[in-house]
Amino acid sequence: MTDTPFPFDPGATAAMLDWTAQRIADGPDPKHGAQAFAALEPVLGGSITAEGIGAREAFALFTDTIVPSTRPFGHPTSLSFVAAAPSRAALSFDAALGAAGIFAGNWDGGAGAIHAENQALRWLADLAGWPATAGGVFVAGGTLGNLSALHAARHRRAQAVPRPERWALICSVEAHSSIHAVARVMDVDVIAVPTDAGGRMSAEAAAPHVSDRVFAVVGNGGATNCGAVDDLAGLARLCAAHGLWLHVDGAYGGAALADPQQRGLFDGIERADSLIVDPHKWLFAPYDSCALLYRDAGHGAAAHGQQAVYLDTVDKTHWNPSDYALHLTRRARGLPLWFSLAVHGTDAYAQAIARTRAIAEAIARGIAARDALDLLLGPQLTVILFRPRAMAEADMVRWAETHRRSGALLCLPTRWRGEMVFRLCIVNPETDPAQVLSVLDSLPG
Ligand SMILES: Cc1ncc(COP(=O)(O)O)c(C=O)c1O
């Protein structure tokens, strides 16, 4: 063995890989969930010592304490927030990718990985109906994707018009919280436009808010709380008329572009300027990745490229992912999606997304048929909002906690038009509607 400060027994590597294989086969345990600081501290506190505790002990902390104290988002009964449903292919590959230790910030560092990631980006660009100029990069999540796209939007607008006292963007009141967070980082105002009864923003509602200080309109491609897809065709026309950038936040819903039955909801997206889709939401990839795409990738590069003498050796004639978002170093986080697509094929993806939608429809039908429950909305994409007719808010919270703890169902309350409601968001094609409805039968009538 070469002299190293970090000797490591290959047997320990093998043991970790065995655990990994078993975990991927079994999936997460639905009974797992966050434990209190007071429970974790006696076990994990002090685990970093001067001498080290060794691989066996450190890995046992991971398997026996860390993993059980995490929410099993990948389980088919996990139907709150926007969960995850990584394919076994994607999870297996992610383990291998970690071992490969690839730097994918620029072509020199990660050409093969970048080329393959770009295949997955091209698939998404084709689904959006975008030309050969389209391109982008995988970033860590939708928040960073939204920030990077909107920075490019303002950069382009700033070349064309005098700088206003305050920049502003237009979005709907249903826009994700990350749009507001991005606006704070960019120090721009948010003009939040009211929606229709389903949470959809129309071009007519947005139009009166257009002014010289607006640089972009953000259309929902699947609002988180209600699943609404905004009137993208109308918004594209509005943006074209005023030289504005249309950004589509499809972090959750953009996956539905792959389902021919749902594609019509996104008509107009072919004229949008940028789009994000999170593969860790409804594209069956593990955390964390967001596909950020520009219809004209040159706008992304104009806004984001970094320059420094120590970067002069980077070959600028190649595709350098660091040029397209707010980052430099990056792992090839789009590769698990590429691998899963390559293994299963795009038809399997279309079918899995259509099946998820069918599961949501079956659950919504079951809710509508139950006297104890009011179906309020949906499914829109795969989001369902409903309310038990005779249940106080505190009881709803207690019911949700009981079923979360037992592992039967993660179904947490949200608010819709001011009222507490239950929300389901299905992204897992293995969710069983009959099982979900049988849990909902425990709600009092
Ligand atoms: C519509 C939408 N946009 C943006 C985000 C933010 O994505 P991320 O959590 O990956 O930063 C989310 C997350 O749920 C989302 O649903």
Side-chain angles (χ1 to χ4, degrees), residues 84 149 226 342 392 418:
C226 63

Side-chain angles (χ1 to χ4, degrees), residues 82 140-144 146 176 178 222-224 249 251-252 276 278 280-281:
V82 184
T143 303
L144 190 54
N146 283 332
H176 188 258
S178 61
T224 313
D249 181 352
Y252 148 60
I276 62 159
D278 279 7
H280 63 228
K281 290 188 164 66

